[in-house]
Amino acid sequence: MSKDKQFVKEITPQQEDFSQWYIDVIKKADLMSYSPVRGCMVFKPDGYEIWENCQRILDDMFKETGHRNAYFPLFIPESFFQKEKEHVEGFNPELPWVTEAGGEKLEERLAVRPTSETMVGHMYAEWINSYRDLPLLINQWANVVRWEKRTLPFLRTSEFLWQEGHTAHEDEADARKETMQMLEIYRTFVEDYLAIPVITGQKTPSEKFAGAIDTYSIEAMMKDGKAVQAGTSHYLGTNFAEAFDIKFLNRENQHEFVHTTSWGVSTRLIGAMIMAHGDDRGLVMPPKVAPTQVIMIPIGPAKTRDQVLAKTYELQTEIKKAGFRVRVDAREQSPGWKFNEYEMRGVPVRVELGPRDMENGQVILVSRVTGEKKVVAQDNLVEEITRLLDEAHNQMFAKAKQFLEEHMISVDTLDEFKAFLEAKRGFALAGWCGSEACEATVKDETGATSRNIPFEPREHKSTCLVCGAPAKHTVVFGKSY
Amino acid sequence: MSKDKQFVKEITPQQEDFSQWYIDVIKKADLMSYSPVRGCMVFKPDGYEIWENCQRILDDMFKETGHRNAYFPLFIPESFFQKEKEHVEGFNPELPWVTEAGGEKLEERLAVRPTSETMVGHMYAEWINSYRDLPLLINQWANVVRWEKRTLPFLRTSEFLWQEGHTAHEDEADARKETMQMLEIYRTFVEDYLAIPVITGQKTPSEKFAGAIDTYSIEAMMKDGKAVQAGTSHYLGTNFAEAFDIKFLNRENQHEFVHTTSWGVSTRLIGAMIMAHGDDRGLVMPPKVAPTQVIMIPIGPAKTRDQVLAKTYELQTEIKKAGFRVRVDAREQSPGWKFNEYEMRGVPVRVELGPRDMENGQVILVSRVTGEKKVVAQDNLVEEITRLLDEAHNQMFAKAKQFLEEHMISVDTLDEFKAFLEAKRGFALAGWCGSEACEATVKDETGATSRNIPFEPREHKSTCLVCGAPAKHTVVFGKSY
């Protein structure tokens, strides 16, 4: 892609073309570049730093709950995929294959990992001998590849970054407890750190992970009413244990299969936070993971420039010491240009400092989210920034929550759902009889899929939206990325 | 590999078979497993955590010097390698190729990256327009693959983890300054954090990076006298800029090529720290990166167990608060067994606590490195641990430094060097006329290669060890991993 194409002059309004708005925003805010490899993207520093901030928070949460990190090979022998029937069917169409290496044709093709269940299964069979080795609680931060036909930066790319947890347990109860614990960690992270409200629930059998007994997910709503699956946690039963012969000597001195789980979130969270919060002025970054939480802009004429700049750096040091990610923009461009630039980049708090402010021992603070503009004593700077960031997070979450509630309709029939999708955007809450056929009908006729069976639906529906039979479950349906 | 093979009963003494000692130690200390993919290893939690600790320290150092992280694609189109002649010759024999993906044969083969210079070059051509975009200071944490024929865990594996810095500058002076700055960061890290003394210098032309103008390295000595190249920093001149057309508008409004650098360290550092410090009892972990810095072992009879354990956890909390990585081993095994276990794992400080110690408000501290055993008041625990860890680091560095000095001989002739290698182990400091032929002769006749041309050799040699002509450089030669 040429230099010109990567440069975006104006951001397309969301109402006009949401997809184009998204592409415009991530390009203009300099989060990514398209790469010369089909479906693969480059994470530029401002995009990658969002991921680094997510990593640090999640990694702490994983470690607090007893998990440790490990690293498994990138390549997986072809034969490994054959061992779990559903797994091979699920992933085979998406795999890239290494067939030659070191100048020779390989005897067995190696897949570039789409996920590591099979490799982990092989290793766990070697590592686990007795109940004393359990639970085994391991996480991996890694790149994975799934050869996607239609890609979208951050949300669906052939290579992406993620974490994948893999745990082994003595029994079903302990493994299910882990599965739910990790889902709850994801919910906490996405709601409390990314300010995105989610619907927590169980995937229907047709939408579960290839090889899982049960898959649970958190589902988020983007501003165009589409869903992003923001995290999944799987109870794998003894499926992978049987496929890879992961047995342990139990407390009764008997050999039995371990019960395993896996769970993951990926860089698609970056896409989700952009689409859940952004507006026509650009990004609105969740304060807790924003690469830059505070941008400082010195203003005023050339003659006071050095003085103002010195004071700006002095205050920056203070803000940094308080633990905030703060940058100074001392370039030549006009303050007005810079104000627009950092609004577009979604930096939560802007600090302006000019000669008059210096005289008065004050600064001007502006919040990207609430729009509040306030003169603040320099002595209270850190305190006020803390408050503004907290308020920004809370308001972002409340706004997104309201949006989700307003864009989720209850429907009794498929026609109702179709009419809703034609007129508006969002999710439908509906009864479902539990048959695959009815679920497929919804997909065929609306393009929407079942997102999940929420643990706590707003209301319980009594009849299937397709066949009218008594509902087994209340399901959230929606179009998705 | 079967379960039995991965279990090591006794550690082979270093003098008997150093390579076997190394394999025994890393297996017994549970740092890694062999994987089913040729040449690829699994980093188990205790092995991976060493890398995590290194990452955190290095990442801070990179960021303090103005670098930011980014992420580039895993796959590199075949045509990219053709663009820089030396680069393709250097890496082609080691590349794994993806030839099929998503069920189709690819039109152009994709290499799994052995290093990212070419991909970065392609992207920098797009990103860099003007001198205002320079310097561009980017680092990447990633996995890379080089299909190795002979592998050794951590030190040489087909897939490994590393960081690769890639920077672009307005002119040679600025790029060379960066090259040396990063070499100095590596020296500081390896000496001050891993306690391994290194020889800093320049690689000879035949040993430099494929595509570089100049390569600089830090070279460390293992306990068998062999060298490990612990980090490299390359000045690439305009080689990659010309190959990928990375031009910028300079301050005189003229287009010119940028000057680039690259620099990297990898998970082979883990192998280096094991081989530089370990002894016949097992690992000796450098305190600043040890996964466990302090191991706490409760002792005494069953009846006081709960009380002792409660106090142990209480003290653990205190030690953790002070910022140390501390674990408690509350398992059933005997204290004696545990003492041996954590000595073998190289944990720097052991804390023992029994009922008598509780009565007296004390604990027993034992240092893995200095062997010091001391009764310490619980009130002084954190202070004493801090001191013991500092002393351990200092003593490890001093010991390794003395070893390096004692195992580096000055030689005037090739025969002298051969005689040295037959009788002892280590490096030779020798004069070199600068000809490739003489350098090749050393390699052919001794198996040793030029490690680097040290910036500050212990002495300056005046004649070439091979041909006797006047020496252009004083070179360190050694066998290497």
Side-chain angles (χ1 to χ4, degrees):
Chain A
M1 182 156 286
S2 77
K3 281 175 189 182
D4 290 330
K5 274 210 185 145
Q6 297 226 355
F7 179 75
V8 178
K9 260 215 149 76
E10 296 292 337
I11 295 170
T12 306
Q14 290 189 337
Q15 294 287 355
E16 193 181 308
D17 182 344
F18 191 79
S19 301
Q20 193 55 49
W21 167 85
Y22 177 70
I23 297 295
D24 289 351
V25 157
I26 58 177
K27 292 300 314 166
K28 204 167 158 67
D30 213 23
L31 301 186
M32 56 74 65
S33 274
Y34 291 104
S35 91
V37 180
R38 213 204 56 172
C40 295
M41 58 173 278
V42 179
F43 291 74
K44 295 188 79 173
D46 271 331
Y48 191 77
E49 199 173 330
I50 302 172
W51 184 237
E52 289 184 278
N53 294 335
C54 291
Q55 276 189 301
R56 217 162 301 150
I57 298 162
L58 282 166
D59 201 64
D60 283 347
M61 292 170 107
F62 298 158
K63 283 175 177 159
E64 267 165 37
T65 44
H67 303 84
R68 297 187 72 190
N69 291 324
Y71 187 77
F72 297 86
L74 173 68
F75 300 122
I76 299 180
E78 182 165 18
S79 55
F80 278 35
F81 284 93
Q82 311 299 335
K83 294 192 181 183
E84 216 291 334
K85 195 175 141 286
E86 282 186 21
H87 197 67
V88 64
E89 283 169 12
F91 284 106
N92 227 2
E94 298 177 350
L95 299 177
W97 292 102
V98 174
T99 58
E100 300 160 30
E104 288 171 16
K105 201 165 169 348
L106 297 178
E107 281 181 32
E108 180 178 13
R109 298 197 298 176
L110 298 171
V112 182
R113 66 179 161 220
T115 179
S116 301
E117 272 78 9
T118 58
M119 180 59 74
V120 168
H122 177 91
M123 299 313 304
Y124 279 15
E126 188 174 299
W127 298 348
I128 295 169
N129 290 295
S130 134
Y131 71 89
R132 287 187 191 84
D133 300 321
L134 301 174
L136 184 56
L137 307 173
I138 284 182
N139 176 61
Q140 171 173 260
W141 293 97
N143 54 344
V144 285
V145 179
R146 297 170 190 183
W147 214 253
E148 298 280 359
K149 291 237 186 299
R150 285 174 46 242
T151 60
L152 192 58
F154 296 114
L155 280 170
R156 196 177 46 248
T157 49
S158 287
E159 183 188 9
F160 57 96
L161 305 176
W162 80 343
Q163 60 69 217
E164 47 181 323
H166 297 279
T167 69
H169 305 262
E170 284 183 67
D171 56 32
E172 175 168 350
D174 200 48
R176 285 196 177 276
K177 209 173 116 190
E178 167 81 6
T179 309
M180 299 316 287
Q181 171 185 260
M182 299 323 290
L183 189 73
E184 177 60 14
I185 282 181
Y186 289 158
R187 188 200 62 73
T188 304
F189 174 69
V190 173
E191 296 199 332
D192 295 356
Y193 291 85
L194 309 187
I196 306 174
V198 292
I199 298 167
T200 314
Q202 182 170 358
K203 286 283 186 186
T204 61
S206 68
E207 295 286 334
K208 71 183 170 59
F209 176 74
I213 301 286
D214 292 316
T215 288
Y216 302 88
S217 74
I218 51 172
E219 304 281 337
M221 188 186 283
M222 305 298 99
K223 280 200 169 170
D224 60 353
K226 282 195 188 170
V228 165
Q229 178 178 290
T232 49
S233 186
H234 317 289
Y235 169 61
L236 304 173
T238 58
N239 286 352
F240 285 88
E242 289 178 42
F244 289 90
D245 200 30
I246 321 175
K247 278 182 186 160
F248 72 105
L249 208 59
N250 67 17
R251 289 163 201 264
E252 284 75 45
N253 225 24
Q254 305 288 317
H255 282 284
E256 66 173 298
F257 288 118
V258 298
H259 291 251
T260 65
T261 83
S262 69
W263 28 275
V265 298
S266 75
T267 38
R268 73 181 344 219
L269 285 176
I270 300 173
M273 71 184 84
I274 293 165
M275 287 193 172
H277 297 305
D279 61 26
D280 285 344
R281 287 186 292 152
L283 297 176
V284 181
M285 288 304 301
K288 296 185 191 177
V289 299
T292 305
Q293 295 174 306
V294 180
I295 184 71
M296 304 186 74
I297 299 175
I299 51 183
K303 61 176 179 179
T304 57
R305 192 184 144 81
D306 287 356
Q307 255 185 304
V308 168
L309 207 52
K311 187 70 190 174
T312 306
Y313 286 124
E314 189 191 314
L315 293 174
Q316 183 195 23
T317 305
E318 210 174 293
I319 300 169
K320 201 180 259 174
K321 260 193 203 147
F324 296 111
R325 294 181 291 274
V326 52
R327 291 188 164 91
V328 172
D329 188 342
R331 293 178 298 171
E332 298 151 16
Q333 286 88 340
S334 74
W337 184 90
K338 289 179 188 173
F339 296 170
N340 285 333
E341 177 71 10
Y342 294 101
E343 279 189 356
M344 184 273 292
R345 287 175 182 258
V347 175
V349 173
R350 178 172 89 222
V351 178
E352 304 168 17
L353 182 74
R356 175 103 63 90
D357 301 311
M358 283 194 58
E359 275 169 36
N360 299 332
Q362 67 190 33
V363 299
I364 295 167
L365 288 188
V366 183
S367 167
R368 169 69 170 92
V369 175
T370 65
E372 185 183 347
K373 182 165 180 167
K374 201 179 171 185
V375 176
V376 165
Q378 287 168 12
D379 292 344
N380 297 337
L381 187 53
V382 165
E383 198 180 314
E384 287 289 333
I385 286 171
T386 308
R387 186 184 61 79
L388 279 185
L389 290 173
D390 276 355
E391 278 178 14
H393 171 86
N394 293 339
Q395 194 176 111
M396 286 171 74
F397 183 77
K399 228 169 136 178
K401 181 103 184 162
Q402 193 187 349
F403 185 88
L404 172 61
E405 274 158 19
E406 285 174 1
H407 291 79
M408 184 149 72
I409 192 184
S410 291
V411 299
D412 292 317
T413 65
L414 195 54
D415 284 341
E416 243 182 279
F417 188 20
K418 281 197 250 180
F420 168 72
L421 283 176
E422 268 161 40
K424 302 185 80 173
R425 56 210 158 129
F427 297 168
L429 198 66
W432 175 51
C433 65
S435 87
E436 265 191 48
C438 285
E439 195 182 355
T441 302
V442 175
K443 191 174 176 178
D444 290 345
E445 301 210 5
T446 66
T449 50
S450 71
R451 302 318 308 153
N452 66 24
I453 302 165
F455 296 140
E456 293 171 3
R458 197 167 58 186
E459 66 174 289
H460 287 274
K461 306 292 291 181
S462 56
T463 57
C464 177
L465 83 164
V466 178
C467 68
K472 265 197 189 150
H473 303 289
T474 299
V475 174
V476 171
F477 290 96
K479 296 190 178 183
S480 74
Y481 279 97
Chain B
M1 182 156 286
S2 76
K3 282 175 187 180
D4 289 329
K5 277 215 184 139
Q6 297 227 353
F7 179 74
V8 178
K9 260 215 150 75
E10 296 292 339
I11 296 171
T12 307
Q14 290 189 337
Q15 295 287 354
E16 194 181 307
D17 183 344
F18 190 80
S19 301
Q20 192 56 49
W21 167 85
Y22 177 70
I23 298 293
D24 289 352
V25 158
I26 58 177
K27 292 298 314 165
K28 204 167 158 67
D30 214 22
L31 301 187
M32 57 73 66
S33 273
Y34 292 103
S35 91
V37 180
R38 213 204 56 173
C40 295
M41 59 173 278
V42 179
F43 291 74
K44 294 189 80 173
D46 270 330
Y48 191 77
E49 199 173 330
I50 302 172
W51 183 237
E52 289 183 278
N53 293 335
C54 291
Q55 276 189 299
R56 216 162 304 150
I57 297 161
L58 282 166
D59 200 64
D60 283 347
M61 292 169 108
F62 298 158
K63 283 176 179 161
E64 266 165 37
T65 43
H67 304 83
R68 298 186 71 190
N69 292 323
Y71 188 77
F72 296 87
L74 172 69
F75 300 122
I76 298 181
E78 182 164 20
S79 55
F80 278 36
F81 284 94
Q82 311 300 336
K83 294 192 181 184
E84 217 290 335
K85 196 177 140 282
E86 282 186 21
H87 197 68
V88 65
E89 283 169 12
F91 285 106
N92 227 4
E94 298 178 350
L95 299 177
W97 293 102
V98 174
T99 58
E100 300 161 30
E104 289 171 15
K105 201 164 171 342
L106 297 178
E107 281 180 32
E108 181 178 10
R109 298 196 300 176
L110 298 172
V112 181
R113 66 177 161 222
T115 179
S116 302
E117 273 77 9
T118 58
M119 180 58 75
V120 168
H122 177 91
M123 299 314 304
Y124 279 15
E126 188 174 298
W127 298 347
I128 296 169
N129 291 295
S130 136
Y131 69 90
R132 288 189 191 85
D133 301 321
L134 300 174
L136 184 56
L137 308 174
I138 284 182
N139 175 62
Q140 171 173 259
W141 293 97
N143 54 343
V144 285
V145 179
R146 296 171 190 182
W147 215 251
E148 299 280 358
K149 290 238 186 300
R150 285 173 47 244
T151 61
L152 192 58
F154 296 114
L155 279 170
R156 196 177 46 248
T157 49
S158 287
E159 182 189 9
F160 57 95
L161 304 176
W162 81 344
Q163 60 69 216
E164 47 181 322
H166 297 279
T167 68
H169 305 261
E170 285 183 66
D171 55 32
E172 174 168 351
D174 200 49
R176 284 196 178 275
K177 209 173 116 190
E178 168 80 7
T179 309
M180 301 315 287
Q181 171 186 259
M182 300 323 291
L183 189 73
E184 177 59 16
I185 282 181
Y186 290 157
R187 189 201 61 74
T188 305
F189 173 70
V190 173
E191 296 200 331
D192 295 356
Y193 291 86
L194 309 187
I196 307 174
V198 292
I199 298 167
T200 314
Q202 181 169 1
K203 286 283 186 185
T204 62
S206 68
E207 295 286 334
K208 71 182 170 59
F209 176 74
I213 301 287
D214 291 316
T215 289
Y216 302 89
S217 74
I218 51 172
E219 303 282 337
M221 188 186 283
M222 306 298 98
K223 280 197 168 172
D224 60 352
K226 282 195 188 168
V228 166
Q229 177 178 289
T232 48
S233 186
H234 317 290
Y235 168 61
L236 304 173
T238 57
N239 286 352
F240 285 88
E242 289 177 41
F244 289 90
D245 200 30
I246 320 176
K247 279 184 186 157
F248 72 105
L249 208 58
N250 68 17
R251 288 162 203 264
E252 285 75 44
N253 226 23
Q254 304 288 317
H255 282 285
E256 65 173 300
F257 288 118
V258 298
H259 292 250
T260 65
T261 83
S262 69
W263 28 275
V265 299
S266 75
T267 37
R268 72 179 348 216
L269 286 177
I270 299 172
M273 71 183 86
I274 294 166
M275 287 193 172
H277 297 304
D279 61 27
D280 284 345
R281 285 186 294 150
L283 297 177
V284 181
M285 288 306 301
K288 296 185 192 177
V289 299
T292 304
Q293 296 173 305
V294 180
I295 184 70
M296 304 187 74
I297 299 175
I299 52 183
K303 62 176 178 179
T304 57
R305 191 183 144 80
D306 288 354
Q307 256 185 301
V308 169
L309 207 53
K311 187 70 190 173
T312 306
Y313 286 123
E314 188 191 314
L315 293 173
Q316 182 194 24
T317 304
E318 211 175 293
I319 299 170
K320 201 181 259 173
K321 260 193 204 147
F324 296 111
R325 295 181 288 276
V326 52
R327 290 188 163 91
V328 172
D329 188 343
R331 292 177 299 171
E332 297 150 16
Q333 285 88 340
S334 74
W337 183 89
K338 290 180 188 173
F339 296 170
N340 285 333
E341 176 72 10
Y342 294 101
E343 279 190 357
M344 183 272 293
R345 288 175 182 258
V347 176
V349 173
R350 176 172 91 221
V351 178
E352 304 169 17
L353 181 75
R356 174 103 63 90
D357 302 309
M358 284 195 57
E359 275 169 36
N360 299 333
Q362 66 189 31
V363 299
I364 294 167
L365 287 189
V366 184
S367 167
R368 169 67 170 92
V369 176
T370 65
E372 185 182 348
K373 182 168 181 165
K374 199 178 172 186
V375 176
V376 165
Q378 288 169 12
D379 291 344
N380 297 336
L381 187 53
V382 165
E383 199 180 314
E384 287 289 333
I385 286 171
T386 308
R387 187 183 62 77
L388 279 185
L389 290 173
D390 276 355
E391 279 178 15
H393 170 86
N394 294 338
Q395 193 177 110
M396 285 170 75
F397 183 77
K399 228 170 137 178
K401 181 101 183 161
Q402 192 185 349
F403 185 88
L404 171 61
E405 274 158 19
E406 286 174 1
H407 290 78
M408 184 149 72
I409 191 184
S410 292
V411 299
D412 293 318
T413 65
L414 196 53
D415 284 342
E416 243 182 280
F417 187 21
K418 281 197 250 180
F420 168 71
L421 283 176
E422 268 160 39
K424 300 185 80 174
R425 57 210 156 126
F427 296 168
L429 198 65
W432 174 51
C433 65
S435 86
E436 265 191 47
C438 285
E439 194 182 355
T441 302
V442 176
K443 191 173 176 180
D444 290 345
E445 301 210 4
T446 65
T449 51
S450 71
R451 302 318 309 152
N452 66 24
I453 302 165
F455 295 140
E456 294 171 3
R458 199 167 56 186
E459 65 175 289
H460 288 274
K461 306 293 290 181
S462 55
T463 57
C464 178
L465 83 165
V466 179
C467 68
K472 264 198 189 148
H473 303 287
T474 299
V475 173
V476 171
F477 289 96
K479 296 190 178 183
S480 75
Y481 279 99

